Amino acid sequence: MGDAEPVRSAIVLSLNGATTRAIVTDRVEGEPRLVASASVVGRSAVPALEVIERRLGRCVLESGRPISARSVLGDGADAWISVGLPLSRPTVVLVALGGQNFAAELAATAARASPVRVSQLVVDETTSPTVLAQKLNEQRPDLLLLAGLADDAVWRTAFAAVTSAIGDEWRPRLGIVVAPEAIQQHVAAALGEQLELMGVDPGEYAPAEVVRALSAELRAQAVEALRSELEGTFSEQLVDRLTALERAAAFLVRRADQRLVLVDLEQGTTVLWARAEGLATIYRAEQDLGHQALGLAELGSESVLRWLPWSIGDDELLDWLANRVLSPYPVILNERDQFLAAAFVRALLRAVAGEIEQQDVREDITLVALGPWFATLPPALAVLCALDGIEPVPASGLVSIALDEADLLAAGGAIAEFHPGYAARVLERDALLPLAHALVLTGDGVEGAIAVRGELRTGEIVQRFSVPWGSVHVLPFSPGTFAELSVEPESGVRIGGLEAGVALQFTGDAALGWARLGVVIDARGRPLRLPSDPAARMRRLRSWLADLGLSGGAV
């Protein structure tokens, strides 16, 4: 959709699990810019907007309702948009008919990329209609996803089970059928009077198109659930958070040919990989660091404990997760919380990344964008979460890590649904705060031996360095400056995906812009290896933390 009318100002309400953020953009010297962002505890728009009014000295509400056109004095806004996910995300049961098959795989991929809670039932020739009906009645999903290819017997089992299960106490809002056209007709004849149906033939379209169509419908259901929760006041223009983030990611990819990973932990966990060739989104509704924290127990304690620089018991880990679920507004309170949260995030990101089968898509990354939750961590710890959780191996050797502190990616992506030109200019100027440029070393280094030498030049200031294998080194430089980086690895050591021993320079037009930490030389190799002995592993972690200026002692 193009920009129908010139927009001067836009207000986006970002509705998350335990907070609400108001993001205000306006024209500054003619160009759309971020002018304010305010977050309040709780899921209510008016308090966040009242903070905005006090900060800007403008009125944006009248009798608790939005002023829907910007005045010459700056009151109100031309565009009001809400972005988020419903507190109660739609539940989906995916029924894989005939066992795992191509149609079921496409349906599962679409469900993983949608803001829904998914469970799966497998139906084969041994499945009893009575047992299947009982399982459907136990789960009572909002949406029923039937996926399978030609096997008349298992489809008859499904027809009997669904017919038996549907009644006054449970009736799905929608049934989605992923099957050949002939089977869709049989489903319509058997279930059409009991259930609203839509269908997709996986043999008639490219797999990516099937996934897009299914995820679009699942996301539309989530938007309607969010609209019901908002009860009208701020629900006229709604965008689900995943779609908004995908739009923003697509812009970042187009703008500078980036190969991007975006990590968002605002309500559930969203991780998306984007590049010019396409996009892959994975959403986990039941895992985050807020009210879905107990879902992180599924990662297994060992995958989390390996990232802690001090000892803690399994029960303490579970207690920490449970306290986050029980707290009305779970926040990161202290250094101990920060280290625990970072350990869970690394384990979570590694588990999600494992679902991306193509190694080059998973590893060849030039930009990691971290969502606003990461502002609760020290910048160096946020950078470690990205490097350790995703383990990027950029072909060029360099990956930038940036923070979306103001939640502008979701806001800009939401604006782009209605005013794409305006949104593009806001995102280009204000979306991300650079945290670090990380140079990733791979290959066959020797622990403690020099892996790389080089210099960082900012104007007349030159920092010469040599970094041993197995360590991390930080090269800060001043805000408002550009840095030229020259590096020469030892034989056997590679910079990213380059050949061993090949030197690299970032000079002239390729000079590096300022980042909060500066340049981080990650000489730990890929894949990251930690000692199996707990004491040695904790010493190694404390060493890496110290390299980045962080405390690593027990807290």
Side-chain angles (χ1 to χ4, degrees):
M1 183 184 297
D3 291 317
E5 297 180 4
V7 174
R8 292 167 295 175
S9 65
I11 294 179
V12 178
L13 297 170
S14 181
L15 304 160
N16 299 310
T19 61
T20 300
R21 185 184 294 268
I23 300 107
V24 182
T25 64
D26 207 332
R27 292 187 182 269
V28 178
E29 297 181 352
E31 287 297 318
R33 300 297 301 267
L34 171 69
V35 296
S37 176
S39 181
V40 298
V41 171
R43 198 169 165 100
S44 178
V46 171
L49 293 168
E50 289 173 343
V51 174
I52 290 293
E53 289 183 321
R54 291 193 294 272
R55 286 187 184 176
L56 296 181
R58 302 180 184 179
C59 293
V60 298
L61 295 171
E62 186 174 10
S63 301
R65 302 187 67 83
I67 300 172
S68 59
R70 182 186 181 279
S71 72
V72 293
L73 298 178
D75 293 340
D78 298 316
W80 287 81
I81 303 165
S82 295
V83 61
L85 299 173
L87 286 174
S88 180
R89 272 141 286 178
T91 55
V92 177
V93 167
L94 166 57
V95 182
L97 291 126
Q100 296 300 333
N101 56 73
F102 180 59
E105 289 174 2
L106 293 178
T109 299
R112 285 199 303 270
S114 303
V116 295
R117 298 179 185 273
V118 187
S119 61
Q120 183 167 323
L121 299 174
V122 176
V123 179
D124 57 27
E125 64 277 1
T126 67
T127 303
S128 159
T130 302
V131 171
L132 180 58
Q134 288 174 344
K135 291 180 178 178
L136 290 173
N137 263 319
E138 289 169 2
Q139 299 192 40
R140 297 183 180 179
D142 300 312
L143 308 169
L144 192 59
L145 191 50
L146 303 172
L149 303 173
D151 189 332
D152 291 344
V154 295
W155 281 96
R156 285 195 296 271
T157 297
F159 297 158
V162 173
T163 299
S164 173
I166 288 177
D168 293 337
E169 294 185 355
W170 172 66
R171 186 179 301 274
R173 295 202 298 263
L174 180 67
I176 303 174
V177 183
V178 187
E181 179 63 31
I183 292 179
Q184 291 184 43
Q185 293 177 6
H186 292 156
V187 176
L191 302 176
E193 293 186 2
Q194 298 173 287
L195 188 61
E196 181 182 348
L197 296 168
M198 67 161 284
V200 179
D201 185 342
E204 291 295 316
Y205 302 95
E209 293 178 358
V210 174
V211 170
R212 275 196 296 271
L214 293 172
S215 62
E217 182 57 44
L218 294 173
R219 292 179 185 192
Q221 295 291 327
V223 167
E224 289 310 306
L226 178 59
R227 194 183 306 278
S228 297
E229 290 179 2
L230 294 179
E231 298 179 346
T233 305
F234 298 99
S235 64
E236 184 175 345
Q237 292 187 315
L238 283 182
V239 183
D240 74 89
R241 189 172 182 87
L242 273 64
T243 297
L245 292 174
E246 287 178 352
R247 275 191 167 271
F251 167 77
L252 294 174
V253 168
R254 289 194 306 270
R255 182 186 66 173
D257 192 28
Q258 297 280 12
R259 297 183 298 282
L260 166 75
V261 170
L262 189 155
V263 181
D264 185 74
L265 301 176
E266 288 307 295
Q267 195 174 351
T269 294
T270 304
V271 186
L272 64 88
W273 284 257
R275 53 180 58 204
E277 297 82 3
L279 180 146
T281 301
I282 295 176
Y283 176 71
R284 293 192 172 189
E286 298 178 358
Q287 291 181 325
D288 62 23
L289 270 298
H291 290 138
Q292 309 303 319
L294 274 179
L296 296 175
E298 296 178 7
L299 298 170
S301 61
E302 183 56 37
S303 69
V304 178
L305 292 172
R306 70 192 302 265
W307 296 108
L308 283 172
W310 26 262
S311 180
I312 185 175
D314 291 2
D315 289 344
E316 289 180 85
L317 274 184
L318 289 175
D319 286 346
W320 188 79
L321 293 176
N323 286 334
R324 301 196 65 73
V325 174
L326 294 173
S327 171
Y329 309 113
V331 294
I332 302 297
L333 294 174
N334 50 40
E335 189 179 66
R336 179 178 184 272
D337 280 352
Q338 290 172 343
F339 279 117
L340 283 166
F344 275 106
V345 168
R346 278 125 119 186
L348 174 60
L349 291 181
R350 292 170 77 87
V352 173
E355 297 185 33
I356 301 296
E357 295 180 357
Q358 293 176 264
Q359 184 176 356
D360 62 328
V361 172
R362 186 175 66 247
E363 296 181 350
D364 184 10
I365 298 160
T366 59
L367 175 63
V368 179
L370 302 175
W373 179 88
F374 286 89
T376 64
L377 301 181
L381 196 54
V383 167
L384 273 182
C385 285
L387 292 175
D388 299 349
I390 298 168
E391 287 200 85
V393 185
S396 66
L398 194 74
V399 56
S400 297
I401 301 165
L403 175 66
D404 175 22
E405 189 169 12
D407 205 12
L408 196 56
L409 291 180
I415 295 171
E417 284 283 297
F418 308 98
H419 308 285
Y422 183 96
R425 294 195 290 277
V426 172
L427 288 170
E428 185 169 13
R429 290 165 176 80
D430 297 321
L432 295 173
L433 172 67
L435 293 182
H437 304 292
L439 192 79
V440 177
L441 303 185
T442 62
D444 301 317
V446 177
E447 187 73 24
I450 297 301
V452 67
R453 292 178 171 85
E455 67 175 33
L456 186 78
R457 182 182 296 272
T458 52
E460 299 301 316
I461 301 173
V462 178
Q463 299 180 62
R464 293 184 175 86
F465 59 87
S466 57
V467 182
W469 185 261
S471 67
V472 186
H473 188 69
V474 179
L475 298 162
F477 56 98
S478 300
T481 62
F482 285 83
E484 295 189 325
L485 177 66
S486 301
V487 287
E488 184 173 346
E490 297 296 307
S491 61
V493 175
R494 299 194 302 272
I495 300 173
L498 301 177
E499 293 296 321
V502 173
L504 193 61
Q505 291 186 334
F506 297 91
T507 59
D509 291 342
L512 306 176
W514 177 82
R516 184 174 287 183
L517 294 185
V519 175
V520 174
I521 309 294
D522 185 352
R524 299 175 297 167
R526 294 290 186 272
L528 286 173
R529 291 185 173 88
L530 286 167
S532 57
D533 175 68
R537 184 179 67 242
M538 287 186 280
R539 285 196 299 271
R540 178 68 56 84
L541 290 169
R542 287 195 291 269
S543 172
W544 292 345
L545 292 169
D547 289 342
L548 289 168
L550 294 168
S551 166
V555 292

